[in-house]
Amino acid sequence: MCPPAVIGAALGASSATAAAVGTSVYVGLASTAMGVASTRLQIQGQKMQARMQARTQENASKVERQRYLNEVSSLRTQQAQEQVAMAQKLQANKARAREARATARVSAGEAGVAGLSVDALMNDLTRKEAMYNNSVNTQGQMLDVRRELSLRDAGLGFTNNMLRINRPIEEVNYAGALVSGAQTGLSTYGAIK
């Protein structure tokens, strides 16, 4: 770079004026360089911040998806276990009722009782079996309703968490960076001058 006096002399000024003009040009170039550097750094910083936010959102989304899948899997496993337990209760009740009817029929036969009273006893045992089966089935239906509500809540929670995690990433603000860079350049110019 040329010394300030040479630049001023080249412009046809006296040596004092030439030195002042040359210094002014030098200060102007330095402040412009500071402004450009500031603008560039701001733009790079904004891009880096956007990339980091995108990575963070991607990782948090993966974690949230896995949490949701685990929750749904747990609810479905619980449902399968309850259905097995319910089927076992119904099967055990059926066996007990069949045994009770057989015992009642044999006892009635040994006692010499027959006809309507034996039929009434069999009907009563069948009614008790049906009442128990109905209560087990009703309980199963209520559990299914509760589970469906839990699954719906889990889905809504997942959606809300994904919306919270994946907020829009701000675009690089080129205009703001240019204005800020210009302000930095002008401040530098004022400070040097």
Side-chain angles (χ1 to χ4, degrees), residues 76-96:
R76 292 299 183 192
T77 300
Q78 183 181 15
Q79 178 183 25
Q81 291 170 346
E82 289 168 355
Q83 287 175 342
V84 167
M86 213 173 9
Q88 289 172 342
K89 283 181 182 180
L90 292 173
Q91 191 65 29
N93 186 50
K94 184 177 182 178
R96 280 192 307 271

Side-chain angles (χ1 to χ4, degrees), residues 62-141:
K62 284 179 185 176
V63 168
E64 176 58 20
R65 271 191 292 281
Q66 190 58 50
R67 184 209 60 79
Y68 172 70
L69 291 174
N70 290 344
E71 184 176 1
V72 169
S73 176
S74 173
L75 288 169
R76 292 299 183 192
T77 300
Q78 183 181 15
Q79 178 183 25
Q81 291 170 346
E82 289 168 355
Q83 287 175 342
V84 167
M86 213 173 9
Q88 289 172 342
K89 283 181 182 180
L90 292 173
Q91 191 65 29
N93 186 50
K94 184 177 182 178
R96 280 192 307 271
R98 187 174 39 240
E99 185 179 311
R101 280 192 294 272
T103 301
R105 202 175 296 276
V106 169
S107 296
E110 289 176 352
V113 178
L116 293 176
S117 59
V118 173
D119 290 343
L121 179 60
M122 294 299 134
N123 289 340
D124 185 52
L125 292 172
T126 302
R127 181 187 58 78
K128 287 179 180 177
E129 177 188 13
M131 285 177 58
Y132 180 82
N133 289 349
N134 187 45
S135 71
V136 169
N137 288 330
T138 301
Q139 181 183 18
Q141 290 170 349

Side-chain angles (χ1 to χ4, degrees), residues 52-65:
M52 287 175 56
Q53 185 177 353
R55 262 187 261 134
T56 300
Q57 286 178 346
E58 183 180 336
N59 290 338
S61 293
K62 284 179 185 176
V63 168
E64 176 58 20
R65 271 191 292 281

Side-chain angles (χ1 to χ4, degrees), residues 67-68 71-72 75-76 144-160:
R67 184 209 60 79
Y68 172 70
E71 184 176 1
V72 169
L75 288 169
R76 292 299 183 192
D144 284 344
V145 168
R146 187 191 76 199
R147 187 171 306 94
E148 288 305 315
L149 291 173
S150 294
L151 287 168
R152 188 178 310 148
D153 287 347
L156 289 172
F158 171 74
T159 301
N160 288 337

